[in-house]
Amino acid sequence: MSSDNPASIAAHNMAREAVEAAIPHRAPMLLVDEIIEQSKNEIHCRKTFGTDEFFTRGHFPNYPLVPGVILCECALQSGAILLAQHAAVQGAVPVATRLDGVKFKKMVRPGDTIDVVATLNEVVSTAYFLTAKITVAGKLAARLDFACTLATPE
């Protein structure tokens, strides 16, 4: 994104506003930059990792990597944005209850942009079951199945 292009800055701010309207996460733990596409049961989100992310400073200092748990959180937040449309109670937030079959296939480094596609597979009572695929440069970096329930903060 060019810092001297007002249209680019405005588009980035609008994208961030849409994400922040859907989930309660905020910096430094807001790990979705923009929503690319969304339907009833699937969402495509994007995140670009900066070179100064707090979680890469000590994660292999001479060869910084985005930790796998952060990639999982990107998937969970993408799923939370998707599930925001399913919340029957205003202000309910998706909370992770399970991670299954997590596989890491490609390293993600500072400066990389990931695409996250999360798919809602099934709803059983108050449990939502999803699958996420994370790609970098078009190649699979991680895949996971996860479940969430909607909680009401008190």
Side-chain angles (χ1 to χ4, degrees), residues 127-147:
Y128 297 83
F129 297 89
L130 301 97
T131 298
K133 291 182 181 176
I134 301 166
T135 58
V136 62
K139 296 193 183 218
L140 186 65
R143 184 209 174 281
L144 63 141
D145 295 313
F146 60 100

Side-chain angles (χ1 to χ4, degrees), residues 60-118:
F60 306 109
N62 295 322
Y63 192 79
L65 298 174
V66 175
V69 69
I70 296 294
L71 296 177
C72 290
E73 181 64 19
C74 292
L76 292 167
Q77 289 184 21
S78 296
I81 295 167
L82 177 64
L83 294 181
Q85 66 189 339
H86 294 272
V89 177
Q90 184 69 15
V93 293
V95 177
T97 58
R98 180 186 313 169
L99 294 173
D100 287 319
V102 179
K103 292 185 174 38
F104 301 107
K105 301 288 193 177
K106 181 174 177 31
M107 291 183 284
V108 178
R109 311 230 25 240
D112 284 346
T113 297
I114 62 167
D115 285 283
V116 181
V117 175

Side-chain angles (χ1 to χ4, degrees), residues 6 10 14 17 25 41 44 50 66 81 108 118 121 124 128 140 144:
M14 286 177 23
E17 288 173 12
H25 302 75
N41 293 318
H44 174 187
V66 175
I81 295 167
V108 178
N121 299 320
V124 178
Y128 297 83
L140 186 65
L144 63 141

